Amino acid sequence: MSSVREKPQGPAQGNERLPGELTLRELLRWTWRQLTSMRTALVLLFLLALAAIPGSVIPQTSVDDFAVKQWKADHTRLGPIYAKLGMFEVFSSPWFSAIYLLLAVSLVGCILPRTRVYWRALRAAPPTAPRNLTRLPDSAAFATEEAPEVVLDRARALLRKKRYRVVAGGDAVAAERGYLREAGNLLFHIAVLVVLAGFAIGSLWGYKGGVIIAEGSQFSNTPTQYDDFTPGKLTKASELDPFRLQLDRFDIQWLFDGPRKGMARKFVAGLTWWDSDGTKRTDDLKVNHPLSIGGTDVFLIGHGYAPVLTVRDAEGNVAYSGPTPFLPQEQRNFTSFGVVKVPDAKPKQIGLQGLFLPTYNGDPLNSAMGKDLNPLITMQAYVGDLGINGGVPQSIYSLDTSKMKLLAKPGGKMFRVDLKPGQSVDLPGGNGSVTFEGVKPWVRLEIAKKPGTWLALSGAIMALLGLCGSLYVRPRRLWVRAVRSADGETLVEVAGLDRSARSDLTDDLTAFVAALQGAATTDITTNGSAGAAGAAGVQEDQ
Amino acid sequence: MTDQQWDTLSIQAVSAAGVVYFLALLAYSAQWAARRGAVEGEGSARAEVFARFAFLLTVVAGGVHLLALVARGFAADPNRVPWGNMYEFTLTATFVVTLVTVLFFRRWNLAFLGPWAVGLVMVVLMLDVVWLYEPIAPLTEALSSPWLVIHVIAAITATGVFTLGGLVSILYLLRESGRLSSLPAADVLDRISYRLHAFAFPIWTFAVLIAGPIWAHQAWSRYWGWDPKEVWAFITWVVYAAYLHARATAGWKGRAAAIVALVGLGTLWFNFIGINFFFGGGLHSYAKP
Ligand code: HEM
């Protein structure tokens, strides 16, 4: 840093500066250095971990919209504050994004210079032998009758065979291996960026949505047909793959005994679908086996029952007829809640809400099991204004009864639409009738397109490979020096240096020395951890 | 054998493994006592015998432990991998701790770690049986996928090895503050701990950032959705990445790095157990308490 300057003499004149004052360029440089330091990377990693915590404690819109609404209703004071802070969308909030973007910048700032350094190191020769090899912690020396050249030649051959990069110069051989470690490290850090890019592409240009379709019904892939639809920020509705599909049948296997009695398995939805050019195909859609239609994935994620109801209005006309999906309240027994809205009923609109019990067993609130062995609907009926035309979008699964009247029997006794398949009931006051025609299954499909998935996956695999390189490749340098001593013998010195976790440098060195000696031996002296290594075990430095 | 017999066998094997672990612990204590008396020189040979015996018992306990796992898999109808609920996960993770201790016993000179690892496994196994036991049941639909096998085995293996690494980090901190002088030198412990973490980290990466998302994509229609388990798997991953960086940063080496490793272990186990109880496990329905 060059921030220490001479103190300006007298009052400030022109671009004289105060001590510690930085030019913009210096400031930027300083900021960059700080940002790309390992210390900052550490701090940012911790911040990222901390910042993720609220995302698991507070319900998230992207995970469970309903839970968020519930939470807001329960915490009227905190709710708005949290909403402002982005607590319900932690992972797309400005502060969370800021942390990982800073980390990404830091990462780039870290990768670039290290790549340059690495590139140079790759082309540079292994460093020449230090003057005094026996001073290194791991070293050995011996004397031999052989000529220095013979020993050095053998050293070179041996090291090459072990895939060291070898240079010989003067009386010594220098060798290095394990270049892949830093390559792995760089690959890993680059891969983190690739994963981020893949993830970003997916969330910007992708979309996902859910839709419930009853057996026999069709769905076209346009946003309006979805029950819920979440596009990415840059997704264009017109770019959805234009396909169409129909649920032909839905099969399910209920367990009648065993520890999971009452539960179901083997869900199979028989689909017919037409791709963008109208080619027709049929497929079985199963849990865990998404169907891919031209890059869009279709998943089977839920099922339930849709009672088929026909509602006649006060004038005797059929105002509503068809399957109405009811939502399971209990996965265990599929007691389901549903709403029927009949906006076309005249003179007053009709609304029904209540339960569907797949297996009615005397208890009007709970089904005995999930399979539709003895179906029953038990609902309340309302007449009046459904409030649909007010322009405020309404959920199809809830009934706004504020402008409606609950129907009761003459004399004010409670009235319920309790029906089994095939039965009809007249609504009190001549308001029409309801017929329960039968039951159809429905399935909930999740339809999603996430471009960039393959990029993210390749990035993750690259990261793993890089990681293995960076953690398990162990760079090592070895030197051998052979000089003729005054008494005509050749004095050989060998030394090694590890820069990473390593337990066997000493053993390797011993083996290497043995190989180097060939036959001719006089006494050997070893140094440093050589003796202690057996006990101390791990020799590492990083 | 009938499923019922397999089930009984599994339960008996768990108890038997617990007993043999306890015997191993006794042998380790005997070794320790013998070594204390070894000042006069004679005890050290006896200590050596006890040490071998303790190791042998650990291997036997590990074998019985494995039998418990295999039998659990055969007890299910249809037969399956024994990784369907918390009880089974814990049973497997503790087995991994034993396995790694035994496999690397020589190579990494883990003799000092024997009694600690055995003690840990024994205690966790007991808690597992008391608190987490669940009768055998078939897997739910979402769990019966080959990716279950791959994702879960990797996650459990990493959990076991991280746990062992954390144990060594604790021993490091104790040794470094001058206690437990019979253990290897602090920097040796530090290195062993690093190696265990470096071994587990790629496995964890594979489990939660590759296999997990692939499975999640098939089962839940998205590869990453920030469900509480995923959030905490990510947090764990980031903390351990910080640990590896800390090791490479001069000022953070040693003590600070060990503490980061233990924070990592905390997040790992919180994810494994805590999430299920506090947040209902999210989509990871196996974890519903
Ligand atoms: C998304 C953020 C990051 C993640 C997830 C991450 C992860 C990792 C991991 C897992 C390692 C272990 C490999 C090893 O021990 O050799 C590592 C090593 C390393 N990282 Fe990062 N890193 C991130 C950002 C950074 C940044 C911003 C820097 C720049 C200062 C950096 C510099 C390094 C260095 C120099 C090593 C090598 C340490 C060594 O030689 O042992 N990392 N990183």
Side-chain angles (χ1 to χ4, degrees), chain A residues 72-93:
Chain A
K72 281 181 176 162
D74 294 348
H75 303 78
T76 42
R77 268 207 13 248
L78 271 183
I81 302 176
Y82 275 26
K84 235 188 214 124
L85 290 175
M87 285 295 182
F88 302 112
E89 286 103 18
V90 166
F91 301 102
S92 50
S93 71

Side-chain angles (χ1 to χ4, degrees), chain A residues 216-233:
Chain A
S217 306
Q218 286 199 1
F219 165 83
S220 303
N221 191 29
T222 51
T224 50
Q225 294 229 340
Y226 282 93
D227 296 341
D228 59 88
F229 184 72
T230 323
K233 285 205 171 65

Side-chain angles (χ1 to χ4, degrees), chain A residues 38-39 41-43 45-46 48-49 52-53 55-57 60 62-63 91 96 181 188-189 192 198-199 202 208 255 259-260 263-267 287-290 297 299-301 446 448 450-453 456-457 460-461 463-464 467-468 470-472 474 501-503 533-542, chain B residues 77-78 84 107-109 134 136-145 187-188 190-192 194-195 197-203 205-206 209-210 214-228 231-232 234-235 237-239 241-249 251-253 260 263 270 275 279:
Chain A
M38 188 83 143
R39 208 192 173 75
L42 253 173
V43 171
L45 281 171
F46 275 119
L48 194 66
I53 293 178
S56 69
V57 181
Q60 297 293 298
S62 61
V63 177
F91 301 102
F96 191 82
R181 177 193 175 87
F188 171 82
H189 285 85
V192 171
F199 209 70
K208 71 169 186 181
L255 301 175
R260 301 226 164 184
M263 292 181 67
R265 48 185 307 186
K266 295 228 175 6
F267 314 96
V287 176
N288 274 347
H289 299 280
D297 290 324
F299 304 85
L300 175 60
I301 61 165
E446 178 99 2
K450 283 267 177 273
T453 302
L457 181 64
I461 293 171
L464 189 65
L467 198 57
C468 290
S470 112
L471 290 174
Y472 305 139
R474 292 170 292 192
R502 191 76 198 175
S503 62
V538 196
Q539 182 68 35
E540 175 240 347
D541 159 35
Q542 63 125 10
Chain B
D77 178 32
R107 177 121 57 106
W108 291 357
N109 282 301
E134 272 184 48
I136 191 96
L139 294 180
T140 59
E141 191 86 349
L143 285 175
S144 43
S145 142
D187 62 329
V188 174
D190 185 41
R191 283 183 216 125
I192 292 178
Y194 167 74
R195 298 190 125 199
H197 285 103
F199 178 47
F201 190 76
I203 303 178
T205 304
F206 174 73
L209 299 182
I210 297 180
I214 291 177
W215 182 26
H217 175 256
Q218 297 187 351
W220 303 325
S221 73
R222 84 287 185 293
Y223 60 94
W224 192 270
W226 298 112
D227 137 300
V231 174
W232 281 87
F234 172 76
I235 292 176
W237 190 78
V238 168
V239 174
Y243 164 77
L244 293 176
H245 279 95
R247 288 270 324 186
T249 311
W252 284 72
K253 246 185 170 146
V260 177
V263 171
F270 178 72
I275 287 287
F279 307 124

Side-chain angles (χ1 to χ4, degrees), chain B residues 35-77:
Chain B
R35 203 160 21 148
R36 287 211 110 188
V39 204
E40 300 90 57
E42 183 187 322
S44 79
R46 234 177 338 140
E48 183 60 21
V49 172
F50 281 128
R52 273 162 196 264
F53 192 53
F55 179 71
L56 193 71
L57 284 172
T58 309
V59 173
V60 172
V64 181
H65 197 154
L66 179 63
L67 177 67
L69 272 176
V70 173
R72 179 85 182 175
F74 279 113
D77 178 32

Side-chain angles (χ1 to χ4, degrees), chain A residues 445-463:
Chain A
L445 301 181
E446 178 99 2
I447 299 174
K449 182 161 186 167
K450 283 267 177 273
T453 302
W454 285 104
L455 196 62
L457 181 64
S458 329
I461 293 171
M462 265 165 62

Side-chain angles (χ1 to χ4, degrees), chain A residues 135-136 166 224 241 411 440 454 510:
Chain A
R135 275 224 198 113
L136 286 168
V166 185
T224 50
D241 293 327
K440 283 188 171 172
W454 285 104
T510 313

